[in-house]
PDB file of all heavy atoms in Angstrom:
ATOM      1  N   SER A  40      -9.283  55.522 152.342  1.00  0.00           N
ATOM      2  CA  SER A  40      -7.944  56.133 152.426  1.00  0.00           C
ATOM      3  C   SER A  40      -7.747  57.096 151.288  1.00  0.00           C
ATOM      4  O   SER A  40      -8.042  56.741 150.099  1.00  0.00           O
ATOM      5  CB  SER A  40      -6.838  54.975 152.490  1.00  0.00           C
ATOM      6  OG  SER A  40      -5.655  55.578 152.838  1.00  0.00           O
ATOM      7  N   GLY A  41      -7.248  58.281 151.590  1.00  0.00           N
ATOM      8  CA  GLY A  41      -6.903  59.235 150.574  1.00  0.00           C
ATOM      9  C   GLY A  41      -8.165  60.063 150.186  1.00  0.00           C
ATOM     10  O   GLY A  41      -8.158  60.800 149.159  1.00  0.00           O
ATOM     11  N   GLY A  43      -9.720  62.415 151.642  1.00  0.00           N
ATOM     12  CA  GLY A  43      -9.573  63.842 152.043  1.00  0.00           C
ATOM     13  C   GLY A  43      -9.990  64.187 153.466  1.00  0.00           C
ATOM     14  O   GLY A  43     -10.118  65.374 153.832  1.00  0.00           O
ATOM     15  N   LYS A  44     -10.177  63.148 154.225  1.00  0.00           N
ATOM     16  CA  LYS A  44     -10.594  63.406 155.621  1.00  0.00           C
ATOM     17  C   LYS A  44      -9.649  64.215 156.469  1.00  0.00           C
ATOM     18  O   LYS A  44     -10.048  65.080 157.063  1.00  0.00           O
ATOM     19  CB  LYS A  44     -10.813  61.992 156.386  1.00  0.00           C
ATOM     20  CG  LYS A  44     -11.811  61.052 155.569  1.00  0.00           C
ATOM     21  CD  LYS A  44     -11.984  59.838 156.225  1.00  0.00           C
ATOM     22  CE  LYS A  44     -10.813  59.016 156.432  1.00  0.00           C
ATOM     23  NZ  LYS A  44     -10.181  58.515 155.220  1.00  0.00           N
ATOM     24  N   THR A  45      -8.375  63.870 156.470  1.00  0.00           N
ATOM     25  CA  THR A  45      -7.420  64.620 157.182  1.00  0.00           C
ATOM     26  C   THR A  45      -7.250  66.011 156.666  1.00  0.00           C
ATOM     27  O   THR A  45      -7.124  66.954 157.506  1.00  0.00           O
ATOM     28  CB  THR A  45      -6.025  63.813 157.244  1.00  0.00           C
ATOM     29  OG1 THR A  45      -6.196  62.581 157.888  1.00  0.00           O
ATOM     30  CG2 THR A  45      -4.862  64.672 157.975  1.00  0.00           C
ATOM     31  N   THR A  46      -7.283  66.144 155.400  1.00  0.00           N
ATOM     32  CA  THR A  46      -7.182  67.450 154.790  1.00  0.00           C
ATOM     33  C   THR A  46      -8.374  68.357 155.220  1.00  0.00           C
ATOM     34  O   THR A  46      -8.145  69.543 155.580  1.00  0.00           O
ATOM     35  CB  THR A  46      -7.147  67.267 153.326  1.00  0.00           C
ATOM     36  OG1 THR A  46      -6.120  66.479 152.870  1.00  0.00           O
ATOM     37  CG2 THR A  46      -6.911  68.785 152.560  1.00  0.00           C
ATOM     38  N   GLN A  86      -3.050  62.845 164.799  1.00  0.00           N
ATOM     39  CA  GLN A  86      -2.624  61.369 165.111  1.00  0.00           C
ATOM     40  C   GLN A  86      -1.335  61.421 165.765  1.00  0.00           C
ATOM     41  O   GLN A  86      -1.127  60.516 166.719  1.00  0.00           O
ATOM     42  CB  GLN A  86      -2.529  60.688 163.729  1.00  0.00           C
ATOM     43  CG  GLN A  86      -3.339  59.340 163.714  1.00  0.00           C
ATOM     44  CD  GLN A  86      -3.143  58.690 162.369  1.00  0.00           C
ATOM     45  OE1 GLN A  86      -3.116  59.370 161.377  1.00  0.00           O
ATOM     46  NE2 GLN A  86      -2.959  57.388 162.494  1.00  0.00           N
ATOM     47  N   ASP A 163      -8.304  63.126 164.773  1.00  0.00           N
ATOM     48  CA  ASP A 163      -8.062  62.287 163.667  1.00  0.00           C
ATOM     49  C   ASP A 163      -7.480  61.003 164.097  1.00  0.00           C
ATOM     50  O   ASP A 163      -6.497  60.842 164.726  1.00  0.00           O
ATOM     51  CB  ASP A 163      -6.929  63.075 162.860  1.00  0.00           C
ATOM     52  CG  ASP A 163      -6.738  62.472 161.431  1.00  0.00           C
ATOM     53  OD1 ASP A 163      -7.648  61.619 160.984  1.00  0.00           O
ATOM     54  OD2 ASP A 163      -5.918  62.951 160.654  1.00  0.00           O
ATOM     55  N   GLU A 164      -8.258  59.864 163.656  1.00  0.00           N
ATOM     56  CA  GLU A 164      -7.899  58.563 163.894  1.00  0.00           C
ATOM     57  C   GLU A 164      -7.490  58.304 165.394  1.00  0.00           C
ATOM     58  O   GLU A 164      -6.402  57.865 165.733  1.00  0.00           O
ATOM     59  CB  GLU A 164      -6.709  58.127 163.037  1.00  0.00           C
ATOM     60  CG  GLU A 164      -6.891  58.385 161.633  1.00  0.00           C
ATOM     61  CD  GLU A 164      -7.719  57.233 160.965  1.00  0.00           C
ATOM     62  OE1 GLU A 164      -8.199  56.323 161.632  1.00  0.00           O
ATOM     63  OE2 GLU A 164      -7.981  57.296 159.703  1.00  0.00           O
ATOM     64  N   VAL A 193     -12.576  61.722 162.844  1.00  0.00           N
ATOM     65  CA  VAL A 193     -12.195  60.999 161.556  1.00  0.00           C
ATOM     66  C   VAL A 193     -11.651  59.676 162.034  1.00  0.00           C
ATOM     67  O   VAL A 193     -10.767  59.536 162.822  1.00  0.00           O
ATOM     68  CB  VAL A 193     -11.049  61.777 160.844  1.00  0.00           C
ATOM     69  CG1 VAL A 193     -10.376  60.879 159.817  1.00  0.00           C
ATOM     70  CG2 VAL A 193     -11.675  62.998 160.108  1.00  0.00           C
ATOM     71  N   HIS A 195     -11.231  55.136 160.798  1.00  0.00           N
ATOM     72  CA  HIS A 195     -11.483  53.971 160.052  1.00  0.00           C
ATOM     73  C   HIS A 195     -12.176  52.883 160.944  1.00  0.00           C
ATOM     74  O   HIS A 195     -12.439  51.747 160.398  1.00  0.00           O
ATOM     75  CB  HIS A 195     -10.195  53.344 159.488  1.00  0.00           C
ATOM     76  CG  HIS A 195      -9.606  54.100 158.423  1.00  0.00           C
ATOM     77  ND1 HIS A 195      -8.364  54.829 158.523  1.00  0.00           N
ATOM     78  CD2 HIS A 195     -10.069  54.306 157.095  1.00  0.00           C
ATOM     79  CE1 HIS A 195      -8.159  55.407 157.360  1.00  0.00           C
ATOM     80  NE2 HIS A 195      -9.080  55.153 156.538  1.00  0.00           N
TER      81      HIS A 195
HETATM   82 MG1   MG B 302      -6.096  60.721 157.179  1.00  0.00          MG
END
Side-chain angles (χ1 to χ4, degrees):
S40 191
K44 304 179 299 293
T45 295
T46 307
Q86 237 180 314
D163 195 6
E164 306 279 3
V193 164
H195 287 114

